[in-house]
Each structure stands twice: as structure tokens, then as C-alpha cells.
Amino acid sequence: TDRSGRFLFGASYGGNKVAVNPIGADGIVQPPSQVVPTGPKAHAILASPDNRFVLATNLGSDELLTFKLDPQNGSLTAASALKVATGAGPRHFRFSPDGRFVYLLGELDGVVRTLAYNADDGSLRELQHASALPAGFEGKPWGADIHVTPDGRFLYASERTSSTIAGFAIDPASGHLTSFGNFATEKQPRGFNIDPSGRYLAAVGEMSNGMSLYA
């Protein structure tokens, strides 16, 4: 949703589009008020912390799109696009809690990109690349999910081929990442999350049919 909880955003991987659906006062999602064609394989969509812009990934065209958000009616207007390396497959992304940086995980290259975020116009600029792959990795990278702790000090990214979660310390001034290891987890960890207190991480495995909880 947007930061007010009034509008639901969706990305259609097969339909190559993003959409806006109003949310009624009763919490029921209404029919779409806007559908926007995008590049191939639209994957994830999030509102900026200040609710002025909405960002969305196109895994197939290696782009992160920025839309201007109208807070009154939820409509999106194209603002800018960041093209990353060909074949990176940008998938999931997260804002830093202070809204200064965006961290973007490539599904097809297993790289976490640190992006500077300009809150004035929603534009993005690449600052750093950090691999989420463990040492000695062999095979095809298959990045999945990415999350930042509520205090903004640490970032984690899951990689399905190796069934690991990579951990990074975040420099609060520069946004740069420093790896502190890759941790074995559930088999094929597609999704994970960090609890609101920032004390625990829960990871689920597509192939393990289970969930592990970590301090």
C-alpha cells in the first residue's frame, strides 16, 4: 500500500504492468483505478517513505522505474527510470529507514546494489555493488528477497541456489554495505522477514516446507 493505506499497488509479472487499486473505508480493495503498462516482468512495487513517489522493478528490462504519486487519487505519473546492468534481473528492493538509499537485489546476478535516492524528484544513482553469493559459489545465481533491520544497521538478502542468506552491515553515512557472512538456511529460501523489534529473522524454504527463526 501507499503510506496512508488508502491505495494498493500491484505488479503483474506475466502482464507486464503495474496497477493502483483504491482501498475502501471498510478495508475492501476496489477495482483498479489505473493500470500502467511497463517493461517485461514487472516484479515489485513500493511507495517512498514520504509517499511522494512509487518505485517498481522490471526484471525483464533491467530497470527500476519511478512514478510520481498523487496522494489524493493515487494516480501514478512516470518520472524517471534507472537502467542497471543487462541481465541483472532487478527483483526486490527496500528503502533505508531514513529514505536516503534504496537497496536493490538482482535475481539473475545475485548482486545487491546500493542506490542514492533523491527525494526531491525520485531519481536514483548507483553507488555500490555487493555480491550476495557465498564464497566458492557454483551454478546460476537466483536472488530472492531483501530486507533491512528497523534501525537501518543491517541488510540481509536470500539466495536460492545456495540456500543461504547474506548479511551486510550498513554504513549510515554513505549507505555502503560490508559483508559479514553467508548463513545456511531453509532449502530454496524465497521469502524471509525481520520482526518489527529487529531482534529476529524468519526464513521459509520453497523446497523444505518449513520455516526457521534466527536471533
Side-chain angles (χ1 to χ4, degrees), residues 67-89:
F67 299 91
K68 176 71 174 177
L69 171 65
D70 186 323
Q72 300 305 313
N73 59 26
S75 64
L76 304 178
T77 304
S80 63
L82 175 70
K83 179 82 170 182
V84 298
T86 299

Side-chain angles (χ1 to χ4, degrees), residues 41-177:
K41 300 180 179 179
H43 205 292
I45 183 167
L46 288 173
S48 62
D50 62 7
N51 214 41
R52 296 182 61 231
F53 294 94
V54 171
L55 277 57
T57 50
N58 276 355
L59 191 148
S61 60
D62 300 303
E63 289 181 299
L64 183 55
L65 310 179
T66 299
F67 299 91
K68 176 71 174 177
L69 171 65
D70 186 323
Q72 300 305 313
N73 59 26
S75 64
L76 304 178
T77 304
S80 63
L82 175 70
K83 179 82 170 182
V84 298
T86 299
R91 180 182 168 89
H92 289 183
F93 63 97
R94 290 290 181 268
F95 285 88
S96 61
D98 63 8
R100 296 174 56 218
F101 304 103
V102 171
Y103 296 99
L104 173 66
L105 176 62
E107 176 173 328
L108 306 181
D109 64 2
V111 169
V112 179
R113 289 170 169 81
T114 302
L115 312 175
Y117 175 71
N118 185 330
D120 292 332
D121 60 10
S123 62
L124 299 154
R125 176 171 53 89
E126 288 197 49
L127 298 177
Q128 182 201 24
H129 298 172
S131 176
L133 304 175
F137 176 87
E138 295 182 358
K140 181 181 177 181
W142 202 14
D145 206 1
I146 185 170
H147 290 280
V148 177
T149 54
D151 61 9
R153 296 177 59 207
F154 303 107
L155 176 146
Y156 298 89
S158 63
E159 200 285 319
R160 286 171 284 184
T161 300
S162 61
S163 294
T164 58
I165 293 177
F168 301 90
I170 300 175
D171 183 297
S174 67
H176 283 199
L177 304 177

